[in-house]
Amino acid sequence: MRQDPSPSSGSSITLEDVARAAGVSRSTVSRVINGIRNVDPAIQETVRQAIATTGYVPNHAARSLVTRRAGAIALVVSGAGGEGADAPFAGQVFADPFFGRVVGGIVSFLRPRGIHPILMFAETAETHAQVLTHLRHGNADGALLVSTHAADPLPRLLVEARVPAVLFARPAEPIPISYVDVDHRAGAKLAADHLVARGRHRVATISGPLDVPAGQSRLTGFLDAMAAHGHAYVPRAEGGFTHHSGEAAMELLLAEQPGLDGVFVANDLMAQGALVALRHHGRRVPEDVAVVGFDDSSAATACRPPLTTVRHPVEDMAGEMARMLLAHIEQPGRPATAKIFDPVLVVRDST
């Protein structure tokens, strides 16, 4: 890359300045900024470095006149809460480390492309309508949707409105919407195989909510894998993917199965709660009870002992989600697609 021409301020920097710094033509810089895909990836990276070095700020208003796009996307966190529940819903979202990982992956992908997501919450009929209005009026070019409840109507509403959208996790109902997901069943099998390999014979599980596809798949995958190891019955308790529900579910399992020596917990927040219950009952981890979680969130390393868990590659999935959405925006009518990521077992001290 050529030397930075170092203009005095971002507002005075032009495409020509960036082109000069990158050693490419003005039209190449324009194609990269506008997200046109027929540019060599190495040249794209050189142009992005030149943009960062020179401090160039794209004129989004001018670009919108040419492309008829807003140059922004909506990051929508949607659920099925009750009316007037805005503050509690937002509080739940920000308390979950999973959401921070999704945002980090999306921003890491979009920021080098000069795109910044607009965060929107939608958990009531009114807020669902507001999101749809925002998108239909062209205030954003599409939506990255994180849905927190199986009964959430927004994925279907976006499909019916023909709004470009990509969903994090497989939809609860069969609709033609693109999505990314992890192979939950394979991840649960990794947990089962690991517990058996550690010599655990009285194994139980704390599932996620069973009206959510991820909760169903992790439970089914674990039960099938344990059956393959000869375990016809696995005690179980249902949780809600929260710390408190994990603690309550562990209390229930200990009351019913006091001799259990291993437990698979369907996410790390619930596993944190399960560890609290185990300590309360004087059970040593991993000496008395081995514990495996799912997600590899910040909660896993905050646990004492640090949690063995199945890594859910959230950041990579979020970046792919953003890439898929840009492809839908660039190619209207593109068929819905899916990408499934492989899980990995991360072994720490809880087993």
Side-chain angles (χ1 to χ4, degrees):
M1 187 171 72
R2 295 183 184 175
Q3 196 65 27
D4 174 17
S6 300
S8 58
S9 71
S11 61
S12 64
I13 299 168
T14 66
L15 285 179
E16 286 78 7
D17 294 323
V18 176
R20 196 158 43 248
V24 299
S25 68
R26 182 187 187 282
S27 62
T28 296
V29 174
S30 179
R31 288 201 299 276
V32 172
I33 290 172
N34 286 310
I36 297 172
R37 303 182 74 187
N38 63 340
V39 180
D40 183 89
I43 294 175
Q44 290 185 42
E45 182 58 29
T46 299
V47 172
R48 291 188 189 111
Q49 290 178 12
I51 290 169
T53 301
T54 59
Y56 174 73
V57 178
N59 185 331
H60 290 289
R63 187 169 69 182
S64 294
L65 290 174
V66 175
T67 63
R68 294 187 179 181
R69 295 178 190 164
I73 62 169
L75 169 55
V76 184
V77 184
S78 179
E83 296 293 332
D86 292 358
F89 180 72
Q92 279 186 345
V93 169
F94 287 123
D96 191 336
F98 164 82
F99 178 70
R101 295 177 66 194
V102 172
V103 173
I106 289 170
V107 171
S108 294
F109 181 87
L110 292 178
R111 185 164 56 185
R113 293 159 175 81
I115 302 171
H116 300 278
I118 301 165
L119 178 60
M120 304 184 75
F121 292 103
E123 78 286 13
T124 65
E126 180 182 359
T127 52
H128 289 153
Q130 289 171 358
V131 168
L132 287 170
T133 298
H134 186 85
L135 291 163
R136 282 171 170 156
H137 288 178
N139 295 311
D141 298 315
L144 298 170
L145 179 60
V146 180
S147 185
T148 63
H149 197 284
D152 181 11
L154 192 54
R156 176 178 46 79
L157 293 174
L158 289 170
V159 169
E160 291 172 353
R162 300 183 182 275
V163 171
V166 180
L167 182 63
F168 195 105
R170 177 168 56 93
E173 60 176 318
I175 54 175
I177 188 169
S178 291
Y179 66 90
V180 298
D181 210 342
V182 68
D183 189 337
H184 299 281
R185 293 173 63 98
K189 181 179 185 300
L190 291 174
D193 292 348
H194 182 69
L195 287 168
V196 170
R198 286 290 197 264
R200 307 298 165 144
H201 302 291
R202 298 178 299 279
V203 176
T205 184
I206 298 173
S207 76
L210 296 181
D211 61 348
V212 174
Q216 296 170 4
S217 296
R218 292 178 194 183
L219 176 61
T220 301
F222 187 74
L223 296 179
D224 286 350
M226 291 301 295
H229 287 294
H231 295 261
Y233 172 67
V234 176
R236 71 197 76 166
E238 183 177 352
F241 284 150
T242 64
H243 183 287
H244 174 74
S245 69
E247 184 176 355
M250 191 74 253
E251 290 280 358
L252 180 62
L253 285 173
L254 287 171
E256 296 178 350
Q257 306 288 333
L260 65 84
D261 62 3
V263 60
F264 167 55
V265 190
N267 85 333
D268 294 344
L269 275 180
M270 291 195 301
Q272 264 191 327
L275 290 173
V276 170
L278 288 167
R279 280 196 298 271
H280 177 73
H281 287 272
R283 305 300 173 87
R284 299 170 301 162
V285 176
E287 293 87 352
D288 300 325
V289 181
V291 180
V292 180
F294 201 116
D295 281 342
D296 197 26
S297 66
S298 59
T301 52
C303 287
R304 291 296 173 265
L307 185 66
T308 292
T309 187
V310 177
R311 184 167 196 275
H312 189 178
V314 172
E315 293 84 356
D316 294 341
M317 293 167 64
E320 176 63 17
M321 185 184 181
R323 187 201 66 76
M324 291 167 71
L325 180 61
L326 294 187
H328 279 292
I329 292 169
E330 292 167 12
Q331 301 174 45
R334 179 186 177 95
T337 58
K339 178 154 186 181
I340 308 300
F341 286 72
D342 293 325
V344 176
L345 183 71
V346 180
V347 179
R348 298 192 179 95
D349 296 341
S350 69
T351 56

